[in-house]
Amino acid sequence: MTYHTYNCQPFCWAAGGKIVKQPPMASMGCGLRIQGDDNLQSMIVGTVMRKIKSRTWKKQRYFKLQEDCMTIWYKSKKAGNAHSTFSVNDVETVREGHQSEVLLSIADEFPPDRCFTLVFRGRRGNLDLVADSADEAQSWIKGMKKLIENLENMGESEKLDQWICEWFKKADKNNDGRMNFPEIRVLLKMMNVDMNEHHAHRLFMTADKSQTGTLEDDEFVLFYKMLTQREDVLRVFQDYSGDGQKLSLRDLEEFLRDEQLEEVDRVQQLAMELIERYEPSDTAKMLKAMSIDGFLMYLASAEGSIFHPRQQSLYQDMTQPLNHYFISSSHNTYLMEDQLRGHSSVEGYIRALKRGCRCVEVDCWDGPNGEPIVYHGHTFTSKILFKDVVIALRNYAFKVSEYPVILSTENHCGVEQQRVMAQHLNTILGDKLLKSTLDGKIPVSFPSPEELKGKILLKGKKIGGLEESLNGPVEPEDSLTGEVSDEDEAADIDEDSLHSNSLRRMAKKSKQRLSKELSDCVVYCKSVHFSSFKHSRIHSKFYEISSFTESKARKHLREAGAEFVHHNARQLTRVYPSGLRTDSSNFNPQEMWNTGTQIVALNFQTAGVEMDLNDGLFSQNGRCGYVLKPDFMRMSERSFDPEVPINREGYRPLSLCIQVISGQQLPKVNIKESSVVDPFVRVEIHGVPLDQAKQETRYIDNNGFNPVWYDTLRFTIHAPELALVRFVVEDYDKASRNDFVGQYTLPFSCIQQGYRHIHLLSKDGTSIPPASLFVHVRITNLV
């Protein structure tokens, strides 16, 4: 039997800060040689720093980097033995200076060179720290950045090594660097394996070459290799191997052509490249062959992923009018929690923008001292300054995408503070704020995302139209008297949902004047009230944008789906969650994308299937926040009704066949060591109503480590250009609700066929290596 060559030996830091493998150590811990790296050496020794939660909560904690080079340990100086830890893997980035609201609040007390913020992945709050000196702060800032960079540069096999090391440490209760059989039994439970004790003991005895009754170093690696035999991959390998031992160049070409459906004219070149890239054996490379180890490394790589690598980069035409794209959009971006008592924070904007969001929302109200504030009106949510939101926008708008950002305003301010808003937009954003049409002429259609690179567009009410503002100055007395915002959520709660006079009073939209200064900041996104599709078709300008609550949008979809699609081929539309969603839950965005709606605004702070779909759609095209709509949604002369996709021109349904083969190292969902998951896989199709479907595999008793299904699921896809495919793993429970284990969502159009791995994501959308599914995918035309 040939095993995949795992190396459980840890990484260490050598002179000059390079990462090298350590020689075998009896401790099996990830010990460090840190000569030449003073920052990491200082982190190992440890530092007392202030942990800051607010202007009044500032407490000293002792922080140190553990010897595994992966864990930060910290404790209170007064709390006895109580301590906490977090993994370097959980830290997304390090911000220097006063770059969080908390640190800005104590800026007068501590200088920026002593302050830094650790930003965690997912929805976990930041950790704000103040060191006793600038030098100590720099040691931690530079050291953390180096550790994060090392993790980001790890290959799949190195991540697996690290994962094995972490589990070994957790199970080695007495820290002697050896594993006896009782510890191995505990480890298996911790790793989601409920193995027959006799079988586990046989593997243990086979691996115990030294016959000491314990496993250490290479013996544990051997045990792990035996535990993780990939019979599923070996079966595929031997199907194509001429001699059962290796894949010759011809064997590999046949596999790539017949199973992976790679382009015939590049199969030979690709086979050579894969051997060079993934084959660990120099002997096999010389023979132009691939071993089972190399084959598994290829299948576990990005090239072996279900998501086509070509479509993960920027591959779409970005020169079409702005309204021809779906735009990743956030609702109530300032909120970190619910809409009644939640915390407002500029961190909401930073996180959304760093996820590729290209349309963010502000609710602006008159604030004290003449400064507009942002919060959810008529509620107990906390308040932040509009000015701070604009600063965050300036600093983070184009960190992950160069393409334009739309700032959608819900404006409740009086004229004076509207002028302050305009002043902040102009002075803080400078030339990032789009203040005129690109060529100074009256346009007939939207510019493209390419032409608007690096620009921030204000969406709001405007006095007059683009034509008037370009033909001559609008007199101040022409200021618009009326509704300054179309998106007062309280006003959009359906009448039949209003149960009290106070809610009815809330629902009355304020009538007030709009300042010319703020009006002038609006160019291509003028908010207008929607009358009807017919009225818009006859009277509306391309730059006029209407907003709908989800319920109104659904009503239009039911009554006039094809007209809705036509409307969105000419103009921008924004759809946002109902004001009744006080828990910041989300509606299904797929319904709205089916109408060609570009700005489908979701509560980014709320995890769930809706945000999985949003992340899935925008995971393509370089994660730039813009996805080109299908051509039948961009052409006003074409007719497409999402309710009846079979009537469209060029209708070609497809069959999707997915064989769910196996799972690997699924995470535990219950913290009890004795608990092991009973996993099953559900495949969901999200698209036009005719395509909505879901099917499930069987569940596997007590095995989250290497469950095997070989279950085949089949779907018919009528509008493949709009379909998303979501893979969900859950822990079966016949007595109560199934627990979520992991998921992965991608556009149907981005699927690679053949034998593919799916690298699962957590509920927050962050990666959970090395958890994966192994599947076989085939897509065929339905005659």
Side-chain angles (χ1 to χ4, degrees):
M1 175 62 67
T2 307
Y3 299 113
H4 177 48
T5 311
Y6 292 118
N7 184 349
C8 198
Q9 295 309 320
F11 293 99
C12 68
W13 295 92
K18 290 187 177 178
I19 314 286
V20 296
K21 289 281 189 180
Q22 286 196 148
M25 294 174 58
S27 70
M28 269 297 290
C30 293
L32 298 174
R33 291 206 314 270
I34 51 173
Q35 304 98 324
D37 197 304
D38 294 340
N39 297 322
L40 290 165
Q41 203 161 24
S42 174
M43 290 172 71
I44 288 285
V45 172
T47 310
V48 174
M49 293 186 281
R50 286 180 177 85
K51 179 181 177 183
I52 313 291
K53 284 190 177 180
S54 69
R55 193 166 174 81
T56 55
W57 198 103
K58 302 184 281 283
K59 298 191 178 177
Q60 289 192 319
R61 296 286 184 266
Y62 176 58
F63 290 84
K64 65 176 292 187
L65 175 67
Q66 299 286 74
E67 291 189 353
D68 64 359
C69 214
M70 279 292 295
T71 309
I72 306 295
W73 177 98
Y74 64 99
K75 66 177 289 188
S76 166
K77 295 178 75 176
K78 298 179 181 177
N81 293 324
H83 68 271
S84 301
T85 62
F86 61 86
S87 171
V88 174
N89 203 33
D90 294 334
V91 182
E92 182 181 294
T93 191
V94 184
R95 293 190 208 142
E96 298 186 49
H98 300 145
Q99 287 203 61
S100 75
E101 278 171 292
V102 170
L103 291 180
L104 280 168
S105 73
I106 50 99
D108 57 343
E109 196 174 344
F110 301 105
D113 60 3
R114 288 170 53 193
C115 301
F116 63 98
T117 301
L118 300 184
V119 181
F120 291 94
R121 300 180 191 281
R123 291 167 173 80
R124 180 174 172 178
N126 296 342
L127 178 58
D128 292 299
L129 299 170
V130 178
D132 284 344
S133 71
D135 287 343
E136 284 185 350
Q138 277 302 306
S139 284
W140 277 82
I141 290 165
K142 289 177 179 175
M144 285 298 299
K145 285 182 176 178
K146 186 171 282 188
L147 292 170
I148 293 166
E149 183 185 9
N150 172 39
L151 284 171
E152 287 174 347
N153 292 333
M154 276 187 185
E156 291 299 323
S157 62
E158 291 170 330
K159 287 177 185 174
L160 192 54
D161 291 347
Q162 191 68 57
W163 186 79
I164 299 164
C165 280
E166 288 175 9
W167 280 115
F168 187 98
K169 278 189 64 190
K170 287 176 186 175
D172 185 14
K173 298 293 187 185
N174 59 4
N175 294 315
D176 65 353
R178 297 181 174 87
M179 299 284 279
N180 57 34
F181 186 65
E183 285 178 317
I184 286 286
R185 291 284 293 152
V186 171
L187 175 64
L188 292 176
K189 289 281 188 185
M190 289 168 69
M191 294 174 86
N192 251 335
V193 187
D194 188 18
M195 186 179 285
N196 173 277
E197 186 161 351
H198 174 73
H199 180 58
H201 193 259
R202 185 169 59 80
L203 292 182
F204 180 88
M205 296 301 290
T206 304
D208 183 17
K209 301 292 185 187
S210 61
Q211 297 186 336
T212 58
T214 60
L215 304 183
E216 53 185 287
D217 293 345
D218 292 342
E219 292 175 336
F220 179 73
V221 174
L222 177 60
F223 175 80
Y224 186 82
K225 286 176 182 176
M226 290 189 288
L227 190 65
T228 55
Q229 290 180 49
R230 289 292 301 273
E231 297 290 347
D232 50 350
V233 173
L234 187 63
R235 185 194 293 190
V236 179
F237 180 84
Q238 291 182 334
D239 280 348
Y240 281 88
S241 170
D243 59 7
Q245 298 297 311
K246 66 181 183 303
L247 292 176
S248 67
L249 189 60
R250 184 170 291 180
D251 293 339
L252 184 55
E253 287 173 17
E254 184 184 354
F255 172 76
L256 294 172
R257 183 178 59 250
D258 296 351
E259 288 295 348
Q260 308 299 74
L261 302 188
E262 298 287 356
E263 296 167 21
V264 176
D265 58 354
R266 67 179 296 266
V267 158
Q268 186 175 20
Q269 178 65 29
L270 178 60
M272 293 287 288
E273 290 173 4
L274 294 180
I275 290 170
E276 187 59 37
R277 211 155 25 240
Y278 299 110
E279 178 51 54
S281 163
D282 290 335
T283 305
K285 280 183 179 178
M286 285 174 59
L287 294 170
K288 294 182 180 176
M290 183 175 268
S291 66
I292 180 65
D293 289 352
F295 188 60
L296 182 53
M297 287 176 75
Y298 152 62
L299 288 176
S301 73
E303 288 177 278
S305 161
I306 193 169
F307 201 119
H308 203 302
R310 216 171 23 232
Q311 282 152 295
Q312 285 190 316
S313 58
L314 194 71
Y315 73 97
Q316 293 185 334
D317 176 10
M318 301 303 289
T319 64
Q320 304 227 10
L322 195 71
N323 59 312
H324 285 186
Y325 297 83
F326 295 122
I327 303 170
S328 180
S329 305
S330 164
H331 178 62
N332 288 347
T333 314
Y334 50 88
L335 285 180
M336 303 295 285
E337 300 159 33
D338 68 75
Q339 300 186 25
L340 290 180
R341 298 177 180 273
H343 178 55
S344 300
S345 171
V346 295
E347 196 64 40
Y349 293 90
I350 296 169
R351 291 187 180 193
L353 292 166
K354 292 189 81 171
R355 286 179 77 167
C357 180
R358 299 287 86 190
C359 180
V360 296
E361 186 193 25
V362 282
D363 288 8
C364 302
W365 299 80
D366 283 337
N369 307 314
E371 283 290 344
I373 54 173
V374 175
Y375 82 111
H376 203 245
H378 310 296
T379 68
F380 298 100
T381 59
S382 62
K383 302 169 177 65
I384 56 177
L385 292 176
F386 175 75
K387 177 172 65 177
D388 290 341
V389 171
V390 182
I391 290 170
L393 204 54
R394 177 194 66 195
N395 293 342
Y396 290 93
F398 305 107
K399 290 275 189 187
V400 301
S401 172
E402 300 175 279
Y403 292 105
V405 170
I406 298 169
L407 178 59
S408 178
T409 55
E410 185 177 310
N411 177 15
H412 303 273
C413 292
V415 171
E416 285 307 312
Q417 292 205 16
Q418 288 178 41
R419 290 184 179 128
V420 177
M421 287 171 63
Q423 183 184 353
H424 288 327
L425 289 167
N426 280 287
T427 55
I428 294 169
L429 298 180
D431 60 6
K432 286 185 172 74
L433 179 68
L434 188 77
K435 298 166 191 167
S436 177
T437 56
L438 292 182
D439 56 7
K441 297 176 183 174
I442 298 173
V444 294
S445 66
F446 275 107
S448 68
E450 191 67 31
E451 292 172 300
L452 290 168
K453 268 185 177 177
K455 292 296 183 185
I456 294 170
L457 284 62
L458 187 68
K459 182 183 92 60
K461 288 288 189 178
K462 185 173 180 64
I463 302 165
L466 266 184
E467 297 80 5
E468 293 93 328
S469 57
L470 289 169
N471 286 333
V474 179
E475 294 301 317
E477 57 266 24
D478 291 342
S479 294
L480 180 70
T481 300
E483 296 163 9
V484 296
S485 174
D486 269 328
E487 295 175 47
D488 184 346
E489 283 168 42
D492 285 310
I493 298 176
D494 295 335
E495 281 299 317
D496 57 0
S497 302
L498 298 177
H499 302 300
S500 70
N501 289 330
S502 61
L503 271 177
R504 281 196 176 86
R505 283 197 297 274
M506 278 171 57
K508 290 180 181 175
K509 291 189 179 182
S510 57
K511 303 267 185 183
Q512 58 194 65
R513 292 168 67 83
L514 174 66
S515 85
K516 178 182 181 302
E517 292 84 353
L518 191 59
S519 167
D520 286 347
C521 294
V522 176
V523 182
Y524 289 114
C525 298
K526 176 185 177 180
S527 295
V528 297
H529 180 73
F530 179 80
S531 297
S532 68
F533 291 126
K534 181 179 179 181
H535 181 274
S536 294
R537 191 167 61 250
I538 297 168
H539 299 288
S540 291
K541 310 289 188 182
F542 76 88
Y543 54 81
E544 293 178 338
I545 173 172
S546 298
S547 296
F548 304 124
T549 58
E550 55 178 289
S551 55
K552 286 182 181 175
R554 278 194 206 99
K555 182 172 180 286
H556 292 313
L557 171 59
R558 284 194 307 269
E559 295 175 356
E563 280 195 82
F564 206 165
V565 175
H566 263 292
H567 175 84
N568 290 327
R570 298 187 311 272
Q571 291 175 248
L572 283 173
T573 297
R574 181 177 187 265
V575 176
Y576 58 98
S578 162
L580 293 171
R581 292 184 181 272
T582 53
D583 59 352
S584 289
S585 60
N586 284 307
F587 60 89
N588 183 345
Q590 185 69 51
E591 282 184 288
M592 305 311 155
W593 292 327
N594 290 343
T595 69
T597 296
Q598 302 88 348
I599 302 175
V600 180
L602 298 180
N603 290 298
F604 270 45
Q605 73 272 28
T606 307
V609 59
E610 299 84 7
M611 275 307 298
D612 292 345
L613 296 177
N614 196 77
D615 289 343
L617 176 65
F618 292 103
S619 60
Q620 63 184 310
N621 206 31
R623 295 183 179 272
C624 74
Y626 285 84
V627 168
L628 190 63
K629 295 198 288 185
D631 60 356
F632 55 80
M633 290 185 144
R634 308 195 304 263
M635 313 300 181
S636 52
E637 65 273 11
R638 294 268 191 103
S639 179
F640 173 71
D641 187 341
E643 299 289 324
V644 196
I646 59 176
N647 288 345
R648 77 172 166 96
E649 183 185 333
Y651 167 67
R652 290 186 189 86
L654 297 173
S655 171
L656 171 64
C657 177
I658 298 173
Q659 184 181 47
V660 180
I661 299 172
S662 64
Q664 294 77 45
Q665 289 97 39
L666 303 176
K668 287 175 74 74
V669 294
N670 192 316
I671 56 172
K672 291 181 182 176
E673 286 187 357
S674 60
S675 166
V676 176
V677 302
D678 305 322
F680 69 94
V681 179
R682 181 171 64 252
V683 178
E684 304 170 351
I685 309 298
H686 296 263
V688 296
L690 204 54
D691 287 342
Q692 294 288 132
K694 58 181 72 172
Q695 292 183 39
E696 295 174 354
T697 66
R698 299 163 292 134
Y699 70 89
I700 304 295
D701 274 320
N702 288 328
N703 187 354
F705 190 74
N706 54 1
V708 175
W709 291 278
Y710 282 104
D711 285 355
T712 299
L713 314 176
R714 300 178 191 278
F715 304 90
T716 298
I717 314 292
H718 298 274
E721 300 90 339
L722 288 169
L724 295 169
V725 183
R726 183 172 183 255
F727 295 84
V728 191
V729 183
E730 290 185 354
D731 178 16
Y732 175 77
D733 192 325
K734 61 177 177 285
S736 62
R737 186 177 176 181
N738 298 327
D739 286 319
F740 173 90
V741 175
Q743 67 85 28
Y744 187 81
T745 308
L746 78 164
F748 176 83
S749 59
C750 295
I751 288 177
Q752 287 202 104
Q753 298 189 62
Y755 287 99
R756 303 293 175 185
H757 276 96
I758 298 167
H759 300 284
L760 294 173
L761 303 175
S762 70
K763 194 170 285 187
D764 278 340
T766 55
S767 62
I768 43 175
S772 64
L773 297 175
F774 186 48
V775 299
H776 182 270
V777 182
R778 194 56 87 230
I779 299 168
T780 53
N781 290 310
L782 279 176
V783 180

